[in-house]
Amino acid sequence: MNPPWIEVENLHLSRGGRPVLMGISAALHGRAVGLVGANGAGKSTFIGALLGILAPDKGKVTVLGLEQPTAALEIRTRAGVMAEQAGIFPGGSGVDAVVFAGMLSGLVRKEALRRAHRALDALDVGEERYRATAEYSTGMRQRCKMAMSLVHDPEILILDEPTVGLDPPGRTQLLELIRSLRDEGRRILISTHILADAEFLCDEMLLLDAGTVAFSGPVAAMMKGREERFVASGDRLDAPLVARLAAANIPATIDSAGRLVISAIDADSIRRFWSVAAEAGAAIRRLDREAPTLEEALLARLDVVRANGGTR
Amino acid sequence: MSAVPSAGHVIGTIAQREFRIALRRRFLRTILILGFLPPIGAAVVLIIRLLLKQMQGHDVGWDPLPFLLNFQAIPVFLAALGLGTPAVSRDRSEDVLYLYAVRPVNPSLYAAGKMLAVFLPAFLVMLFPIAMVITIRQGILGSDAAPLHSLADFGRAFVLTFGLAVAMAGATVGPSAATKRGRWALLLSLAIMTLPDTILRVFGLDGDWAIGPLNVSHKLVETLFESKVWMESLGHLAILLTWGAAGFLLTRWRVAREMIP
């Protein structure tokens, strides 16, 4: 296993007198780590602590072996950050903004200009790069923000909602780019509400819930115990049917959409399912084989954590 | 491994960008160009003085320098308003201060960069014409003007220009940090230039001293070039530098509060 590039020990951080992060501990090794959680879970504050912008009340934060906030400027030089809440440097064209971002990170103008064009080319920004940023569409703004985070060739990338506002082709293109950056060896932390993006990119997850860690570890560990299943929809899919199936040794539940979820996927179980359903008078209109999603795994994990009163 | 950029690089980068953006406005380009007209007028006065001396045989003794020192503060003031008042308010209204925070830029470097974007042009627009006039005066009048006198004038002009440019930077960038609207910043800045001395006058406290940056610079011209009272000059210079420091600290404080996620 790689050494952790983000290590957090018992991190407590308050903002405006209100505790936001409460005793967070995590060691993140993954090439791409998904930072997920509901609004107000503490994701932005966590990123602020990683970059040394927000000083912890208590605890220790280490990024690339450098303790924060002591080495804040060094980390910010080695990191490329795409911030959701902030826009683009105003007052000029897209290429101006990207060049400026590169120069702020230490590049001389000529080199910043060369790399800015390379980054914008990679993001498929054509002649629009010479237009004033005030005229940009949301998608173009996202591309420009991404170029600003990449221009100085950072070792780590911290991306906050990178695909928000992009059309499907743009989203796919950006995700492919991020994946290729990950495969080149860059460490990436992605904060996102779009779990499909996290599923596509990440090999490790950090799930925050109300300022605490609900889960931290490889995606495979999060998905453990969540196997493929069959999902049936139709009429009279009710508790008596679930009881009959249980008696026939077929584990099943009713989900929030009223569908019957059958955990057993072997052919024999499915044959027996049809007979039990017929006996119970259930009308099965559709039976699909479904792979478990990260979203379900996360929600299930949150349910468990909340049921245990916040215990991991 | 990338090295952390030096403070000078970051400050220079911010100042350079601010100046480039400002130069896109016709108003500022015009002011900067017009700033070079007074020294041309001063040179004409010197040439006429020389011609009169040659024709009539005596020196009329016209020295355009004191006039230029007072007059040149006007284009410097206008240029500072154009450069400084939108500098921080634009970043605040566009909500991009966080973009600086995630890069190796702390609030002090940010404030220093914005101040430098005003200080340097103001300093050059003031000092360069004055240096030109002193040089022309020395060249035209030849042996009639003592070189040491010209050097001393240049030294005094340097002190005046430094103080005025620092004060202009503080009195325009500071108000810009106090509001998200450039127009409000402009009004605040104008208030800083005029209100303090108006209040002094209302209470009958005006006299040898002033508080507003522009009036203090006029007082500094008097004490440096005419009465040559050094202690008073130091006092006036201190007031100008205080305006600069106040603008820097206000900007730093305001920006530090908003450079967080």
Side-chain angles (χ1 to χ4, degrees), chain A residues 38-54:
Chain A
N39 290 333
K43 301 190 295 292
S44 298
T45 303
F46 182 71
I47 290 174
L50 294 183
L51 293 168
I53 298 167
L54 298 169

Side-chain angles (χ1 to χ4, degrees), chain A residues 229-243:
Chain A
R229 67 276 165 97
F230 277 95
V231 177
S233 48
D235 295 331
R236 299 192 64 188
L237 305 178
D238 47 17
L241 174 62
V242 172

